[in-house]
Amino acid sequence: MRRFARFLDAETTEKLIQSFLNENRLIKRIKILQTYRCLGIKTLAGGELYERLREKREKTRERMKASLDLITKNNKSMALREQQNATISCTNTELQGQQAMCSTGKTKYSLTPLNITYSPGVEQLDHEEKQICSVHRILPDVYLHCKGVMIAESRKCGGKLRLMDARKLCRIDVNKTRKIYNHLVSKGLVQLSS
């Protein structure tokens, strides 16, 4: 701009600079409008609403990140204290329903059995099936559904069913599917596929 200022008077130089600034503002505004168009926003009012909501989302995201950082920091310090306490005196490595730590520093979780007394479908289960549902935290109606599907599929396939097929049929946790599958195999309702 200094080169132009040598050849032009002050007023013309000022207009030239203002026109360049105006051009930059217009380019930025056009980019914003193109972004709105790509997002499917068709009116300026919609664009203003989008901007307000975007700012609100960013503020919420920042607050959540700050909260998460604080929680993570607290959890790390608590875990470190627990680990230090556990390494000093670790006599019982498995406490039912609570987190237990041993001198190796590894954490082991042991969940309490699920109370299925009043769950739908519990009356259709025998004692062993109630134990499986309770210990492995499977709802009785989910267990009955998986059992029925596995038995029906096994009959279609000549009495044999692979664990992989059972997992695809049940669509629940693979460990729970394995427990149900193993139980049905032990009862002779499903045969192992070779």
Side-chain angles (χ1 to χ4, degrees), residues 20 24 56 63 67 109 115 122 162 165 171 177 186:
F20 282 131
N24 284 337
K56 189 176 179 181
R63 281 197 310 262
S67 298
Y109 292 96
N115 183 5
V122 73
R162 294 184 311 168
D165 296 330
R171 295 189 181 272
T177 305
S186 70

Side-chain angles (χ1 to χ4, degrees), residues 64-76:
M64 289 179 70
K65 185 179 179 199
S67 298
L68 184 63
D69 290 343
L70 182 64
I71 290 170
T72 305
K73 182 180 175 186
N74 288 341
N75 286 345
K76 283 182 181 177

Side-chain angles (χ1 to χ4, degrees), residues 114 116 121-136 140 143-144 147 183 187:
L114 182 65
I116 60 168
V122 73
E123 62 279 349
Q124 299 173 13
L125 302 176
D126 63 19
H127 181 69
E128 271 186 59
E129 292 173 329
K130 286 179 184 177
Q131 280 296 109
I132 290 171
C133 288
S134 180
V135 171
H136 299 293
Y143 175 85
L144 290 169
K147 176 183 173 183
H183 176 70
K187 286 290 189 181

Side-chain angles (χ1 to χ4, degrees), residues 6-23:
R6 281 192 250 163
F7 298 111
L8 303 173
D9 59 0
E11 187 177 322
T12 311
T13 305
E14 184 64 30
K15 286 181 183 178
L16 182 65
I17 292 172
Q18 287 302 322
S19 66
F20 282 131
L21 292 174
N22 240 356
E23 180 186 11

Side-chain angles (χ1 to χ4, degrees), residues 20-77:
F20 282 131
L21 292 174
N22 240 356
E23 180 186 11
N24 284 337
R25 273 190 292 250
L26 288 173
I27 289 172
K28 286 180 184 177
R29 183 69 178 154
I30 289 170
K31 286 182 181 180
I32 290 171
L33 293 173
Q34 287 174 338
T35 304
Y36 290 165
R37 187 183 332 151
C38 290
L39 294 171
I41 300 170
K42 297 181 180 179
T43 62
L44 290 176
E48 291 172 4
L49 176 65
Y50 170 77
E51 289 298 327
R52 282 197 311 268
L53 293 175
R54 185 176 60 79
E55 288 174 11
K56 189 176 179 181
R57 277 193 308 268
E58 286 177 1
K59 288 178 184 176
T60 305
R61 191 177 296 131
E62 288 172 5
R63 281 197 310 262
M64 289 179 70
K65 185 179 179 199
S67 298
L68 184 63
D69 290 343
L70 182 64
I71 290 170
T72 305
K73 182 180 175 186
N74 288 341
N75 286 345
K76 283 182 181 177
S77 63

